[in-house]
Amino acid sequence: MGTKSDERSFFSENQIQPPVKTKATEEKPHYLGHRDRLRQRFAAAGSDALPDYELLELLLFRLIPRADTKPVAKALLARFGTLAEVLGAPVARLEEVRGIGPAVALDLKIVAAAAQRAALSEIKGREVLSSWTQVLGYCRSVMAFEEREQFRILFLDKKNALIADEVQQVGTVDHTPVYPREVVKRALELSATAIILAHNHPSGDPTPSRADIEMTKLVIETAKPLGIAVHDHIIIGKKGHASMKGLLLI
């Protein structure tokens, strides 16, 4: 009995143990080299050299520091379609994508807010009718991917420079109540002499409805006697926009 006990003790104490990993022997995660290469490409050639998923990867590097972000970036684009739609998506829908938690979803919305603020700074205080491309770009960035209709007003001074941009009403997926007297009242409070109306169509089709046209004409009729001009009513869709003035509807 003693011999067998000694043998068991011997083999137990002398089992081959796995080697202990040290900093020298541990392999770095494969994605670290990829991150370095992607950063170098961006530094050397700028964002135009990267497709949307790689630009989104670069952003996610900071938000998800210890994981491979390529699958997450591709999953986001597969779900929402474009980089703009990813940033425009609501927090709850972002969190439905594997790898996106509440903190990362909120961080993406912060990035979107910063981009919108930068777009607004491009037109704030400037003569907007000569910066129409920037105006459209700004409206698209803040409204195109909203899931409910949003009615905004751009208030202009006598030189047609932007004084303020405000959301007056938020409605349902296909309707926003608009009160012409409230529009005019706010314009007077801001000493605006002209306004540009804007709202989005969550359906994606920016074609003006009959209700859109009738409401716009009513705002024009209410504002005109008080010396307030309505330069245009822009409708924003996911894939484009419509200008009522450009369509000769007003």
Side-chain angles (χ1 to χ4, degrees):
M1 291 291 292
T3 303
K4 290 184 178 179
S5 176
D6 292 342
E7 288 175 351
R8 285 197 298 269
S9 176
F10 173 81
F11 285 113
S12 174
E13 293 172 357
N14 291 277
Q15 287 177 351
I16 299 174
Q17 299 296 323
V20 177
K21 287 187 176 181
T22 65
K23 288 185 178 179
T25 60
E26 285 180 348
E27 291 186 4
K28 291 183 179 180
H30 72 282
Y31 58 79
L32 292 182
H34 171 66
R35 289 185 173 200
D36 290 339
R37 290 190 296 273
L38 204 53
R39 288 191 182 101
Q40 290 169 6
R41 283 175 53 201
F42 179 85
S47 62
D48 290 344
L50 305 179
D52 279 1
Y53 83 88
E54 288 187 334
L55 195 58
L56 187 53
E57 268 192 89
L58 278 173
L59 175 59
L60 291 172
F61 288 170
R62 299 295 182 184
L63 308 184
I64 310 174
R66 289 178 292 277
D68 183 0
T69 58
K70 181 185 287 187
V72 182
K74 288 190 172 182
L76 284 167
L77 290 169
R79 177 67 178 274
F80 298 107
T82 66
L83 182 56
E85 287 174 287
V86 169
L87 296 178
V91 167
R93 292 192 63 201
L94 289 169
E95 289 179 24
E96 294 172 0
V97 176
R98 183 179 178 86
I100 300 296
V104 175
L106 182 60
D107 284 343
L108 286 172
K109 299 309 297 181
I110 292 171
V111 171
Q116 291 168 6
R117 189 68 61 85
L120 178 60
S121 69
E122 289 293 313
I123 59 173
K124 191 73 178 283
R126 297 188 182 184
E127 202 281 303
V128 299
L129 298 184
S130 63
S131 307
W132 199 243
T133 300
Q134 287 90 336
V135 171
L136 293 175
Y138 169 69
C139 290
R140 177 173 171 77
S141 72
V142 296
M143 302 175 71
F145 307 111
E146 290 290 325
E147 295 189 319
R148 294 189 296 168
E149 278 202 11
Q150 186 183 92
F151 182 72
R152 306 180 77 95
I153 309 171
L154 278 64
F155 299 94
L156 313 178
D157 65 16
K158 61 183 179 181
K159 294 183 179 180
N160 286 323
L162 182 65
I163 300 172
D165 159 48
E166 297 180 354
V167 177
Q168 195 198 48
Q169 297 288 337
V170 175
T172 64
V173 294
D174 60 2
H175 175 69
T176 305
V178 177
Y179 306 100
R181 289 184 181 179
E182 292 299 316
V183 174
V184 173
K185 178 184 176 183
R186 185 58 177 152
L188 292 172
E189 289 173 349
L190 293 172
S191 300
T193 57
I195 57 176
I196 296 172
L197 310 177
H199 83 279
N200 62 308
H201 280 179
S203 67
D205 181 3
T207 303
S209 67
R210 182 176 295 277
D212 292 336
I213 298 168
E214 291 175 354
M215 178 273 291
T216 305
K217 289 181 177 179
L218 186 55
V219 172
I220 292 172
E221 291 172 3
T222 306
K224 188 174 181 179
L226 297 171
I228 300 170
V230 179
H231 285 323
D232 204 347
H233 186 168
I234 306 166
I235 301 176
I236 302 293
K238 292 180 181 178
K239 304 299 182 182
H241 73 278
S243 160
M244 286 198 186
K245 186 173 183 180
L247 294 171
L248 304 179
L249 295 174
I250 59 174

